[in-house]
Amino acid sequence: MTNKEEQNLIDYLFAEKCSCVLRNNNEVRVFHGRGVADLYRLLKEEPEFLDGAFAVDKVVGKAAAALMILGGVRKVFADVISRPAHNLFRESRIKVNFTIEVSHIINRSGTDWCPLEKLCKNAVNAKECLPIITDFVTRISK
């Protein structure tokens, strides 16, 4: 994928106000869901689409980073990335570009940490995050 093609996907993310855009080979998928639900579903149901993909996301916390790493995403652009997420990508040798890095992702009401960022805080690697994410997604989907 060329730099221009990557930039077009980044521009699309902002123009269409979506949460995430993924491209693998010539297939592009656009997501509008909140949190990590779309990434989690892809990892569980269509892991082959994540493998080798370029991910463009508005907000990437540690849980989203873990799902991308476990799915085999090749490269990531995040408008906002948390330091824990950036560290996970660095340790996994996944190239990541971003607009701004923050100490942690906050919740939607702006009153505390994002619940998954807090729950995954002490996980050492992406693999340790997965059962935490699975439990969280299962609880909120009931």
Side-chain angles (χ1 to χ4, degrees):
M1 184 173 357
T2 67
N3 288 340
K4 183 173 173 42
E5 289 172 319
E6 289 179 1
Q7 188 59 51
N8 287 342
L9 291 176
I10 293 167
D11 293 343
Y12 187 85
L13 176 83
F14 295 110
E16 297 301 317
K17 296 180 175 36
C18 40
S19 59
C20 183
V21 180
L22 294 167
R23 178 178 169 175
N24 197 336
N25 295 314
N26 290 323
E27 185 179 354
V28 176
R29 295 193 193 176
V30 178
F31 301 93
H32 292 88
R34 297 167 69 174
V36 300
D38 292 322
L39 286 171
Y40 182 78
R41 185 191 56 73
L42 278 174
L43 182 64
K44 291 299 181 183
E45 297 173 10
E46 299 179 80
E48 66 282 352
F49 185 75
L50 287 173
D51 192 24
F54 174 54
V56 180
D57 205 320
K58 280 201 178 157
V59 178
V60 177
K62 191 170 183 178
L67 294 171
M68 290 179 194
I69 291 164
L70 293 169
V73 167
R74 175 187 53 82
K75 190 174 181 182
V76 176
F77 170 82
D79 188 33
V80 177
I81 190 169
S82 72
R83 194 163 296 116
H86 193 191
N87 290 339
L88 267 189
F89 283 129
R90 199 175 301 125
E91 291 164 11
S92 299
R93 292 181 165 56
I94 292 175
K95 184 172 178 167
V96 61
N97 293 310
F98 54 89
T99 305
I100 186 169
E101 182 177 308
V102 295
S103 62
H104 60 275
I105 304 301
I106 58 171
N107 64 14
R108 286 182 183 86
S109 61
T111 58
D112 197 2
W113 284 47
C114 157
L116 268 175
E117 187 89 350
K118 188 185 282 190
L119 289 168
C120 291
K121 183 178 180 181
N122 295 321
V124 176
N125 55 43
K127 194 173 183 178
E128 283 187 18
C129 291
L130 187 57
I132 297 165
I133 298 165
T134 299
D135 181 58
F136 181 82
V137 170
T138 302
R139 279 189 288 116
I140 65 164
S141 63
K142 288 183 178 179

